[in-house]
C-alpha cells in the first residue's frame, strides 16, 4: 500500500465529512430565516453570529482538504511517470496530468488562504466595529454593507475553489485514457473496474463544478441541494476508495516500470503478461 494514497484518502474523507456536516447544519438549523437579497440587519447579524460560532469547523475542513491535495499530488505524479513509461510515451498527456495536479493543489491552498483572510477581516468588523449606527441610529447600514462585501468575496473564493473540481475532472479523465492504452499490452497491473470508477468520479466532479458555478451565479441554493447527495457519495466514498485501490496497485506498477526500463537498458525486450518477451514495437 502506498502511504501517500492512504493519507490522501483519509484526509479527503475527513475533510469532506466535516464540510458536509457544516452544510447540513447550515441548511437545517431552526433559526434559518436569512435571505441575502432582503438585507435585513437583524437577520444578517444573527447569520454572522452563527457563522462565527461555526467557522472553526469549516476552516478545519478546508485545511484538511488542502493537505489531502498535497498528499494526492505525490501518487498522481508517480502514476503519470509510470503510465508514460518513464517519459517515453504520450508525453503531453502525462505532463498535463502532472500540471493539473500541481495547479489543483496550489489553487486549493490559495482559496484556503483567501478564505482565512476574509474570515479574519469580517470577524473583526463584526466584533469590533459598530455596524448598527452609521447614517442614523439603528439604521443597520453597516450590516448591509458587510453582507454585500461578504457576498462578493465568497463568490471570488468559490470560483477559485471550484477549479478543484474541473482539475479533478481532467486529471481522472486523462488517467482513464492513459490506463486504457496501458491495458492494451498489460491487463494485470491496473484493474478495469478501478479505471471505470475513475471515469465515473471524473464525470461527477464535472457535475460538481457546474453546480458550484450555477450556485454562485444564480444565488440560489437549489443547485447546491441537488448536488449535495451525489457529491457526498463522490467525496466520502468513491474518491477515497479509488485512492485506496490506486495505493494497492501503484507499488507493483512502479516496480514493473523499473524492470522494463532495466530490460531496455540491457537491450532485452520487455516482458508481456505471460512472461514472454514482447516485441519492442508494441511498447514504443
Amino acid at each position: 500500500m502506498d502511504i501517500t494514497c492512504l493519507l490522501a484518502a483519509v484526509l479527503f474523507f475527513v475533510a469532506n465529512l466535516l464540510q458536509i456536516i457544516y452544510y447540513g447544519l447550515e441548511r437545517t438549523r431552526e433559526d434559518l430565516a436569512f435571505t441575502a437579497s432582503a438585507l435585513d440587519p437583524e437577520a444578517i447579524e444573527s447569520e454572522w453570529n452563527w457563522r462565527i460560532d461555526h467557522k472553526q469547523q469549516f476552516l478545519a475542513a478546508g485545511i484538511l482538504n488542502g493537505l489531502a491535495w498535497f498528499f494526492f499530488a505525490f501518487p498522481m505524479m508517480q502514476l503519470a511517470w509510470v503510465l508514460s513509461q518513464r517519459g517515453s510515451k504520450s508525453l503531453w498527456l502525462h505532463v498535463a496530468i502532472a500540471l493539473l495536479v500541481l495547479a489543483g493543489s496550489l489553487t486549493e491552498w490559495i482559496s484556503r488562504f483567501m478564505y482565512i483572510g476574509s474570515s479574519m477581516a469580517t470577524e473583526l468588523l463584526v466584533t469590533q466595529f459598530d455596524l448598527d449606527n452609521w447614517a442614523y441610529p439603528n439604521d443597520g447600514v453597516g450590516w448591509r454593507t458587510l453582507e454585500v462585501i461578504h457576498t462578493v468575496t465568497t463568490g471570488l473564493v468559490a470560483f477559485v475553489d471550484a477549479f478543484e473540481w474541473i482539475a479533478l475532472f481532467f486529471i481522472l479523465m486523462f488517467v482513464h485514457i492513459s490506463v486504457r492504452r496501458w491495458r492494451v499490452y498489460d491487463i494485470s497491473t491496473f484493474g478495469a473496474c478501478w479505471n471505470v470508477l475513475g471515469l465515473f468520479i471524473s464525470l461527477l466532479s464535472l457535475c460538481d463544478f457546474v453546480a458550484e458555478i450555477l450556485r454562485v451565479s444564480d444565488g440560489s441554493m437549489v443547485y447546491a441541494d441537488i448536488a449535495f447527495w451525489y457529491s457526498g457519495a463522490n467525496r466520502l466514498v468513491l474518491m477515497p476508495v479509488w485512492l485506496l485501490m490506486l495505493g494497492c496497485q501503484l507499488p507493483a506498477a512502479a516496480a514493473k516500470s523499473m524492470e522494463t526500463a532495466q530490460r531496455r537498458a540491457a537491450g532485452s525486450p520487455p516482458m508481456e503478461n505471460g512472461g514472454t518477451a514482447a516485441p519492442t514495437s508494441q511498447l514504443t
Side-chain angles (χ1 to χ4, degrees):
M1 169 65 71
D2 184 83
I3 188 63
T4 55
C5 287
L6 179 61
L7 288 173
V10 171
L11 289 170
F12 271 126
F13 176 82
V14 175
N16 289 305
L17 179 62
L18 289 175
Q19 194 169 18
I20 288 173
I21 291 174
Y22 176 86
Y23 285 140
L25 292 174
E26 185 180 41
R27 299 296 294 167
T28 59
R29 67 184 192 271
E30 296 179 357
D31 61 340
L32 180 60
F34 175 70
T35 303
S37 59
L39 291 178
D40 176 42
E42 293 184 0
I44 293 174
E45 182 177 3
S46 176
E47 179 72 10
W48 272 101
N49 290 332
W50 190 90
R51 289 170 181 167
I52 291 175
D53 290 340
H54 295 81
K55 74 166 188 175
Q56 291 83 1
Q57 181 177 343
F58 189 76
L59 183 60
I63 293 176
L64 289 176
N65 199 53
L67 288 173
W69 267 91
F70 175 76
F71 287 107
F72 176 67
F74 291 99
M76 295 308 297
M77 298 281 282
Q78 185 179 10
L79 178 63
W81 178 248
V82 170
L83 291 174
S84 69
Q85 295 185 17
R86 309 179 73 83
S88 63
K89 288 191 63 176
S90 302
L91 191 60
W92 71 269
L93 183 66
H94 302 101
V95 169
I97 293 173
L99 291 178
L100 284 168
V101 168
L102 293 176
S105 181
L106 179 63
T107 54
E108 180 63 27
W109 280 107
I110 289 174
S111 68
R112 286 310 100 204
F113 281 117
M114 291 173 65
Y115 173 78
I116 292 172
S118 63
S119 176
M120 293 176 61
T122 51
E123 183 178 357
L124 179 66
L125 292 174
V126 170
T127 57
Q128 302 295 329
F129 284 65
D130 182 8
L131 302 177
D132 293 308
N133 309 294
W134 279 25
Y136 52 87
N138 297 320
D139 57 1
V141 174
W143 291 107
R144 294 187 177 99
T145 304
L146 176 64
E147 188 60 31
V148 170
I149 295 173
H150 174 73
T151 302
V152 173
T153 55
T154 299
L156 176 63
V157 173
F159 264 72
V160 175
D161 205 26
F163 181 78
E164 168 190 0
W165 298 114
I166 196 66
L168 197 59
F169 164 73
F170 282 111
I171 290 168
L172 296 182
M173 182 63 69
F174 290 162
V175 168
H176 176 79
I177 294 171
S178 182
V179 171
R180 280 179 62 89
R181 295 176 179 177
W182 176 285
R183 285 178 54 81
V184 172
Y185 306 112
D186 180 3
I187 62 173
S188 64
T189 305
F190 297 106
C193 293
W194 169 79
N195 198 30
V196 172
L197 178 61
L199 177 63
F200 184 63
I201 296 172
S202 172
L203 297 176
L204 287 182
S205 299
L206 179 62
C207 293
D208 262 325
F209 172 77
V210 173
E212 186 72 16
I213 298 301
L214 290 176
R215 182 184 67 82
V216 175
S217 60
D218 186 71
S220 172
M221 293 300 293
V222 174
Y223 302 108
D225 292 338
I226 293 174
F228 181 83
W229 297 105
Y230 71 76
S231 65
N234 188 22
R235 300 175 184 185
L236 290 178
V237 181
L238 300 181
M239 188 63 187
V241 168
W242 186 87
L243 280 168
L244 292 176
M245 293 174 70
L246 173 62
C248 294
Q249 299 173 110
L250 191 56
K256 183 174 290 188
S257 175
M258 177 65 71
E259 180 184 354
T260 302
Q262 291 174 348
R263 288 181 176 275
R264 283 178 174 171
S268 301
M271 304 297 288
E272 285 186 332
N273 297 332
T276 59
T280 306
S281 59
Q282 285 187 346
L283 296 171
T284 58

